[in-house]
Structure formats: C-alpha cells, structure tokens
C-alpha cells in the first residue's frame, strides 16, 4: 500500500500485524529489554520491514539502532524512514544518489482528539482543513495535516540534525492526494530545504503520508565553447515547485 505514494527509486516493505517478526540483533534486543511485549513485537516487525527494504537494495541484514533524536541510523549511502500505528508497520529506503531525504507516517484514519489540531496547526491551516472537509468529509483532514508534519520532520531531522516544531512547517494539502510543506524554522542550516512535496493515501482504517526530496546530481561539465550553465538557485535547487506539488500554492516569503 505505501508504495502507491512513493517516487521511483524508493524500496518499501509493510506489515499489518506482528505475527512474523524476525529475531533482533543483540544490540537491538538490548534496547527493548524491559519493554512491554507489545512494544517489543512492534519494534521487531518494523525492523523486519526495514531489513526487507534494504535487501531490495542489495544490502545484508545489520542492526538498525537509533541515532540522535531517535531516528534509525541507516547504512552509509542510504536514507530511510520507519512508521507504525495500530495495525500497520512500514519502512522505506533509497540510495542517497536517488533520494536525499525520506519521511513516512501512518495514522488511524479518524479525526484527531479534541483540542489537538489547535496545537499543531496555524489559523490558516485550520481554515484549509475546514474548507477541504466541506468538500470531502470522508477524509480526516485534521489527522492528515498532523501526519504530513510528522513525515516532514522524519525527512528533515536526519538531514539537518535540527529540531522542527509544528509551527515551523506550513502544510497545504490538496484533495488530489498531494500536499506541499513550506518550512520556515528559525536559524535554518545553510542550504536546508525550504519545502517538501508529499503524497497521502486513505484506505480503510489507515492514513499514510510520505515525503521525498530527490537528490540533485551534479551536471557534467559542458564541452568547450558551450554556453555557461545557469547559476545560483536554479542550478542548485532546480525548479521552485517540486515535482508532484499541489498547483496554486507557494511557500510564503
């Protein structure tokens, strides 16, 4: 299911229960020592999904330990993301030559608890949620907004090592299955992304969101006598609007 909202080059694996988790590596098992059995099985299933995804890249199984901020430390040259909620676990990975950052999130397809939307959304975002809900009431737009910000954070933090609060990302969802996240954190790292294009999917009792930032490959040197390449932002970042972004939106200045 998750593969439906992922770009080319991303490998994925998912599970809808914890009936067949693979054994953990000793380092991973040590992390789970003393935890509730339900949490240990959830962790093991998610790690199984991650190893299945990595195998599709031709990589051997290895411990996947949390790094700073709790994000998994992926093998060199790989980016990835893991998510889990009741009835669903998934992992996605890609080569850094194809994708620069990845983030996924899974949530129950139901409205947020009362009062939570006000903690994670701006006035403009709440107005957009109300407008979208009037047109497609079957979609839990408030939960979708929350999930999109979670997916963005999972892509942002491993790439920058910086915290990103809910108020630091403005999410503009669209009813065509896409969303655009515009980032405006205080004191961002140099060349940090300013936006992420994402996709969402609601099926049955699950809501999934995913963002991916494509890798920018260096351009080959032009032949002698050829016109000079485009300089500045256009060369470094590519088009202002990432592929798949909703139309009619732009990051606020």
């Amino acid at each position: 299911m998750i593969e439906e909202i992922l770009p080319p080059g991303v490998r994925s694996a998912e599970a809808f229960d914890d009936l067949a988790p693979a054994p953990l590596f000793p380092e991973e098992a040590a992390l789970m020592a003393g935890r509730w059995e339900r949490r240990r099985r959830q962790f093991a299933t998610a790690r199984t999904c991650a190893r299945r995804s990595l195998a599709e890249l031709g990589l051997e199984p290895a411990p996947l330990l949390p790094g700073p901020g709790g994000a998994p430390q992926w093998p060199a040259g790989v980016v990835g993301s893991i998510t889990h909620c009741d009835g669903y676990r998934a992992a996605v990975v890609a080569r850094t030559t194809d994708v620069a950052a990845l983030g996924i999130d899974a949530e129950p397809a139901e409205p947020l608890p009362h009062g939570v939307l006000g903690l994670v959304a701006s006035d403009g975002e709440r107005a957009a949620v109300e407008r979208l809900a009037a047109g497609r009431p079957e979609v839990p737009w408030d939960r979708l907004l929350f999930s999109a910000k979670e997916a963005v954070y999972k892509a942002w933090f491993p790439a920058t090592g910086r915290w990103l609060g809910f108020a630091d990302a403005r999410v503009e969802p669209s009813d065509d299955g896409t969303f655009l996240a515009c980032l405006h954190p205080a004191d961002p790292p140099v060349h940090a992304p300013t936006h992420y294009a994402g996709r969402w999917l609601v099926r049955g009792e699950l809501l999934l969101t995913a963002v991916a930032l494509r890798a920018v490959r260096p351009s080959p040197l032009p032949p002698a006598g050829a016109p000079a390449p485009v300089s500045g932002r256009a060369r470094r970042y590519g088009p202002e609007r990432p592929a798949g972004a909703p139309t009619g939106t732009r990051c606020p200045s």
Side-chain angles (χ1 to χ4, degrees):
M1 189 164 72
I2 189 74
E3 73 277 0
E4 297 179 37
I5 57 173
L6 298 173
V10 179
R11 303 292 184 263
S12 64
E14 60 191 359
F16 298 88
D17 55 48
D18 297 320
L19 298 180
L24 295 174
F25 283 86
E27 303 94 321
E28 296 170 329
L31 290 175
M32 292 291 103
R35 302 289 186 92
W36 292 100
E37 175 64 19
R38 180 174 180 272
R39 175 64 183 121
R40 291 199 301 269
R41 293 180 64 84
Q42 181 186 71
F43 180 91
T45 303
R47 283 328 191 250
T48 298
C49 290
R51 286 191 254 280
R52 285 167 50 198
S53 299
L54 290 168
E56 292 192 21
L57 295 180
L59 298 175
E60 295 294 327
L64 291 173
L65 303 177
Q73 298 182 89
W74 300 97
V78 172
V79 292
S81 185
I82 291 176
T83 189
H84 51 77
C85 70
D86 286 345
Y88 189 77
R89 293 84 171 90
V92 297
V93 297
R95 298 280 186 184
T96 53
T97 50
D98 296 320
V99 177
L102 271 175
I104 61 170
D105 187 64
E107 300 283 336
E110 59 188 36
L112 288 172
H114 179 71
V116 173
L117 182 62
L119 301 176
V120 303
S122 66
D123 291 343
E125 288 173 323
R126 291 196 295 273
V129 164
E130 292 178 4
R131 183 174 64 253
L132 289 162
R136 291 188 60 183
E138 77 280 6
V139 176
W141 293 101
D142 57 347
R143 179 81 67 165
L144 194 157
L145 185 80
F146 171 84
S147 180
K149 293 195 177 190
E150 288 287 299
V152 166
Y153 178 78
K154 290 181 181 181
W156 164 271
F157 185 84
T160 65
R162 302 284 188 90
W163 173 258
L164 188 74
F166 285 112
D168 295 329
R170 174 183 171 184
V171 170
E172 300 179 355
S174 174
D175 62 4
D176 65 357
T178 65
F179 64 87
L180 180 66
C182 303
L183 278 54
H184 46 83
D187 190 27
V190 177
H191 303 321
T194 58
H195 49 235
Y196 287 96
R199 301 191 67 85
W200 60 268
L201 174 69
V202 173
R203 182 164 301 158
E205 298 179 352
L206 290 171
L207 183 156
L208 307 179
T209 56
V211 296
L213 188 65
R214 65 175 181 266
V216 178
R217 304 191 183 200
S219 301
L221 293 176
V230 177
S231 62
R233 182 182 178 89
R235 183 185 65 204
R236 184 177 296 277
Y237 297 105
E240 279 293 322
R241 182 174 308 284
T247 58
T249 58
R250 60 188 284 280
C251 288
S253 58

